[in-house]
Amino acid sequence: MDNVALVEWLLQAVRAYLFAGLVFSVPLILFGLQRVDPDARWSWNLGFRLMILPGLCAFWPLFATRLLRRKQRPIERNAHRIAAQGQAGGAP
């Protein structure tokens, strides 16, 4: 396989990935965004939804997994949250 064929194959793979992301992201933005991120339920602003579209297209497998598992958003673990848990007796 020569280099040109390899590059063409890689470009087709990237196009297919992004097209699959677009096909997944548009219905998610219209109907299911609040299931994946409860904080986005009040964000019906068209500008916000257009702004997150490229990220959804890029990371669509993560959102598809989260949507299918109906998994809640992960809890952020940082120094402030850990310190607060230590003062509150370790409760999350």
Side-chain angles (χ1 to χ4, degrees), residues 15-91:
R15 282 187 193 128
Y17 179 85
L18 290 177
F19 181 73
L22 187 64
V23 167
F24 172 79
S25 299
V26 170
L28 181 72
I29 284 178
L30 294 175
F31 305 111
L33 189 60
Q34 61 276 7
R35 290 183 191 162
V36 176
D37 187 3
D39 291 339
R41 96 182 80 170
W42 302 111
S43 301
W44 280 100
N45 185 357
L46 181 62
F48 168 75
R49 293 188 181 251
L50 289 176
M51 188 170 44
I52 66 170
L53 183 63
L56 284 173
C57 287
F59 296 108
W60 70 268
L62 171 73
F63 291 102
T65 303
R66 192 174 291 172
L67 185 65
L68 291 175
R69 291 184 182 173
R70 298 194 187 272
K71 187 177 179 182
Q72 293 295 327
R73 190 175 44 187
I75 297 175
E76 180 182 353
R77 295 200 35 94
N78 57 33
H80 299 287
R81 190 175 301 270
I82 292 170
Q85 288 174 352
Q87 293 174 356

